Amino acid sequence: GVIWYDGKMVPWREATTHVLTHTLHYGMGVFEGVRAYKTDKGTAIFRLQEHTDRLFRSAHILGMKMPFDRATVAAAQKAAVRENNLESAYIRPMAFYGAEAMGISAKTLSTHLIVGAWKWGAYMGEDALKHGIRVKTSSFSRHHVNVTMCKAKANGNYMNSILAHQEAAIDGYDEALLLDVDGFVAEGSGENIFIVRNGKLITPDLTSALEGITRDTIVQLAGEIGLQVVEKRITRDEVYSADEAFFTGTAAEVTPIRELDNRSIGEGKRGPITEQLQTMYFDAVTGKSAK
Ligand code: PLP
């Protein structure tokens, strides 16, 4: 395969960087997770513009100068899928600082941009999409950096996502649920969360969660079927006593949550509203519906 690297297609094995790369040491960079799906009209990248815009917004938040314009970065994502002959793909654009100097300041450094694309199935497995996952509330919270910077999909923001996911996995769970510094439900390690309670769809407001593009799609789809959506702070016990719960994300798509902290949610399986929204989501991404 090939990687789009600073404007050129580079063989997979040669798409490397120096060990003194600034981003490798200090963790400041920005990235996206994007998916392309097979549709009747060929392979299509779902919400490419929104993902590209968010990448530039993340860079803007960090004060990182992007080395290419939006049109080039959008075209690079299409090219990465095409040049790797992928019918469906996970796409990873990432911008990082170069290796010209060490020290905290990135002022004098070059910025590089790569786009990788590869075949990637269900993030947590097909079984997870069908039957749901078991989740553990994390002892790692969305700390201040993430609270203030959570609009940026930035490399450095993922330290506690990784710690949270690792902790959950060691304890035998599929995924972690992170609370914000006030103890309200924030998001998964790489997913937004929704619950269904008394016929309403509820999701945490965006104070301490990423502005998920899948989250936004689900809100739109809920509108199409007249399902009321409430954005508010939610507490852990509201999740315990919810009728249904699910995670959303480009990688996780719509993944039902059947259990949180060993309490089954609803009937402990994928709920009917979750299933309906999941079907609508897959229809949307594969071009089977108008969206
Ligand atoms: N929250 C975090 C921390 C993420 O990394 C992601 C991943 O993309 C999401 C939420 C879901 O966002 P999206 O639906 O745009 O992929």
Side-chain angles (χ1 to χ4, degrees), residues 33 51 54 142 153 158 161 187-192 210-215 248-250:
H51 281 284
R54 188 171 63 186
R142 281 263 166 262
K153 215 168 146 55
Y158 280 76
S161 274
E187 57 183 341
S189 69
E191 305 86 16
N192 293 106
L210 185 77
E211 293 174 293
I213 291 166
T214 317
R215 176 187 184 276
T248 63
T250 300

Side-chain angles (χ1 to χ4, degrees), residues 41-107:
K41 293 186 201 116
T43 298
I45 300 177
F46 188 62
R47 301 191 72 173
L48 172 62
Q49 195 58 50
E50 285 91 337
H51 281 284
T52 306
D53 287 345
R54 188 171 63 186
L55 183 72
F56 278 77
R57 205 158 58 236
S58 296
H60 176 74
I61 290 171
L62 300 194
M64 188 175 198
K65 228 172 129 211
M66 288 293 264
F68 296 94
D69 64 16
R70 282 167 210 244
T72 306
V73 176
Q77 293 170 77
K78 289 186 187 168
V81 175
R82 189 178 60 239
E83 299 292 318
N84 286 296
N85 299 313
L86 296 163
E87 267 192 336
S88 65
Y90 186 81
I91 307 162
R92 168 53 52 85
M94 200 257 296
F96 62 98
Y97 286 119
E100 293 88 352
M102 269 294 137
I104 294 295
S105 173
K107 215 172 139 200

Side-chain angles (χ1 to χ4, degrees), residues 157-198:
N157 274 357
Y158 280 76
M159 181 73 92
N160 61 351
S161 274
I162 297 168
L163 290 170
H165 186 271
Q166 174 177 271
E167 175 189 63
I170 288 169
D171 290 346
Y173 295 83
D174 302 302
E175 179 55 302
L177 177 65
L178 286 86
L179 306 180
D180 65 20
V181 285
D182 298 318
F184 292 98
V185 170
E187 57 183 341
S189 69
E191 305 86 16
N192 293 106
I193 185 171
F194 284 85
I195 60 172
V196 178
R197 231 167 163 265
N198 304 322

Side-chain angles (χ1 to χ4, degrees), residues 8-247:
K8 290 194 194 78
M9 285 298 176
V10 175
W12 192 279
R13 281 172 190 282
E14 288 164 33
T16 57
T17 187
H18 197 271
V19 289
L20 294 183
T21 296
H22 193 274
T23 301
L24 198 57
H25 292 251
Y26 302 114
M28 180 130 128
V30 296
F31 70 101
E32 266 304 313
V34 191
R35 273 191 195 263
Y37 290 89
K38 188 180 171 209
T39 76
D40 289 344
K41 293 186 201 116
T43 298
I45 300 177
F46 188 62
R47 301 191 72 173
L48 172 62
Q49 195 58 50
E50 285 91 337
H51 281 284
T52 306
D53 287 345
R54 188 171 63 186
L55 183 72
F56 278 77
R57 205 158 58 236
S58 296
H60 176 74
I61 290 171
L62 300 194
M64 188 175 198
K65 228 172 129 211
M66 288 293 264
F68 296 94
D69 64 16
R70 282 167 210 244
T72 306
V73 176
Q77 293 170 77
K78 289 186 187 168
V81 175
R82 189 178 60 239
E83 299 292 318
N84 286 296
N85 299 313
L86 296 163
E87 267 192 336
S88 65
Y90 186 81
I91 307 162
R92 168 53 52 85
M94 200 257 296
F96 62 98
Y97 286 119
E100 293 88 352
M102 269 294 137
I104 294 295
S105 173
K107 215 172 139 200
T108 60
L109 304 181
S110 57
T111 311
H112 302 275
L113 197 113
I114 62 103
V115 182
W118 60 91
K119 198 171 159 55
W120 215 15
Y123 184 53
M124 303 190 213
E126 287 296 331
D127 199 60
L129 292 177
K130 234 193 200 136
H131 302 295
I133 57 167
R134 296 179 58 245
V135 175
K136 177 186 163 72
T137 302
S138 188
S139 68
F140 296 97
S141 54
R142 281 263 166 262
H143 58 70
H144 284 300
V145 170
N146 299 74
V147 171
T148 53
M149 302 291 249
C150 63
K151 301 292 171 288
K153 215 168 146 55
N155 302 34
N157 274 357
Y158 280 76
M159 181 73 92
N160 61 351
S161 274
I162 297 168
L163 290 170
H165 186 271
Q166 174 177 271
E167 175 189 63
I170 288 169
D171 290 346
Y173 295 83
D174 302 302
E175 179 55 302
L177 177 65
L178 286 86
L179 306 180
D180 65 20
V181 285
D182 298 318
F184 292 98
V185 170
E187 57 183 341
S189 69
E191 305 86 16
N192 293 106
I193 185 171
F194 284 85
I195 60 172
V196 178
R197 231 167 163 265
N198 304 322
K200 284 183 202 147
L201 195 58
I202 310 171
T203 189
D205 64 57
L206 290 171
T207 317
S208 51
L210 185 77
E211 293 174 293
I213 291 166
T214 317
R215 176 187 184 276
D216 181 64
T217 302
I218 290 298
V219 169
Q220 285 181 27
L221 295 174
E224 285 177 22
I225 52 169
L227 188 61
Q228 191 187 341
V229 184
V230 182
E231 286 184 53
K232 67 173 192 78
R233 283 185 146 184
I234 65 177
T235 54
R236 211 163 144 172
D237 56 341
E238 279 179 283
V239 184
Y240 290 155
S241 59
D243 302 313
E244 302 180 29
F246 59 90
F247 276 136

